[in-house]
Amino acid sequence: MGGSVNPKTGHYIGTWGEFGCPTPQRIATYALSSNRQRPFAGAFHAAIFNTFRRFRGQVLYVVPPFVIAYAALNWAVER
C-alpha cells in the first residue's frame, strides 16, 4: 500500500489507517487520586445530617397544613 500526496495541501498524510504522523503525539493519560477512590466515603454520615437539615428547612411548610386539616376533621367528626 502506498500513500499519496494530499491534493489540497500537497502534504503526505500517510497510508490508509495510518493517517498523520507515524509516532503518536499528545497522548493524554488520566489517573484517579487515591483519596478519590472511595465514592461512598462518609455518605451515611452526610445523609443523616443532610436529611436533618432538609427536614428542618421544610417542616414549617408541611406541618401547619396537616395540623389545620386534622383540627378541621376532628371538629367535623365531633359536630
Side-chain angles (χ1 to χ4, degrees):
M1 290 187 162
S4 62
V5 176
N6 186 351
K8 290 184 178 180
T9 61
H11 298 290
Y12 174 72
I13 59 171
T15 59
W16 180 254
E18 298 175 359
F19 295 120
C21 59
T23 58
Q25 295 178 356
R26 299 184 187 116
I27 296 175
T29 58
Y30 300 96
L32 189 62
S33 175
S34 62
N35 63 348
R36 295 287 182 191
Q37 292 182 2
R38 296 172 49 210
F40 293 111
F44 186 69
H45 180 265
I48 292 171
F49 290 104
N50 190 34
T51 303
F52 176 71
R53 179 187 59 82
R54 291 177 66 184
F55 173 78
R56 189 181 62 198
Q58 295 292 320
V59 71
L60 292 178
Y61 294 106
V62 176
V63 171
F66 280 107
V67 169
I68 292 170
Y70 180 77
L73 186 64
N74 195 20
W75 172 81
V77 167
E78 289 179 1
R79 181 149 180 165

